[in-house]
Amino acid sequence: MTTSRPLPVPDDLSAPYWAAAARHELALARCARCARFDIPPGLTCSHCGTTDPAYRFERVSGRGVVRSWTIVRRASSVGFAGEVPYLLVDIELDEQPGLRMIGRLLDGPDTELAEGLAVQVAFEDIAAGTAIPAFTVAPRRPS
Ligand SMILES: [Zn+2]
């Protein structure tokens, strides 16, 4: 498997996220002090401000709803030149109000989107041992 796309370079803070993604699991950093998920985890928790968030990564459902989106028509780097056009979606995950994450929507650029549309995480295997979290439209649940 080869890709011209840039590959993630995990550091100490992001390594658990990427290791989980390689297993096709979405795992997010949770602050040990306030117990809220923080995307992306930083030196301080963006919710409670502690300088010692002692993040622990927990697997989450990967379910959420579309809050916004855009179609990328011009590649931001040469690695994506062969991929345009594609959809980027801004997702609010079910686990926590306001927990937002941006990723590609793999259903294609012509997908009909609406605010509140249910999605679920999916993974793009772009290199050996490297998978990128993305999203797909969730199957309709009976109402
Ligand atoms: Zn916190």
Side-chain angles (χ1 to χ4, degrees):
M1 194 182 326
T2 58
T3 182
S4 58
R5 287 167 57 174
L7 298 178
V9 181
D11 59 14
D12 289 347
L13 209 49
S14 66
Y17 174 86
W18 293 114
R23 300 189 304 268
H24 287 198
E25 296 174 8
L26 185 62
L28 301 178
R30 178 173 267 199
C31 173
R33 181 169 159 195
C34 72
R36 298 185 75 189
F37 290 108
D38 206 11
I39 302 177
L43 295 177
T44 60
C45 172
S46 65
H47 303 290
C48 71
T50 180
T51 55
D52 183 24
Y55 293 113
R56 266 187 291 210
F57 281 76
E58 279 183 30
R59 187 176 183 179
V60 296
S61 69
R63 288 191 292 269
V65 295
V66 171
R67 290 297 179 220
S68 186
W69 64 90
T70 190
I71 298 178
V72 177
R73 299 182 189 281
R74 187 175 304 176
S76 58
S77 79
V78 292
F80 289 95
E83 313 255 338
V84 291
Y86 61 86
L87 268 168
L88 278 184
V89 285
D90 174 358
I91 302 303
E92 182 171 7
L93 295 167
D94 286 356
E95 272 71 19
Q96 177 179 298
L99 186 66
R100 305 281 278 263
M101 179 174 169
I102 292 173
R104 285 176 71 164
L105 190 82
L106 302 181
D107 302 74
D110 298 326
T111 305
E112 201 161 307
L113 291 176
E115 205 276 340
L117 181 71
V119 295
Q120 61 191 28
V121 75
F123 293 87
E124 289 184 280
D125 292 300
I126 64 166
T130 302
I132 307 294
F135 294 91
T136 59
V137 175
R140 283 183 190 277
R141 296 168 198 160
S143 50

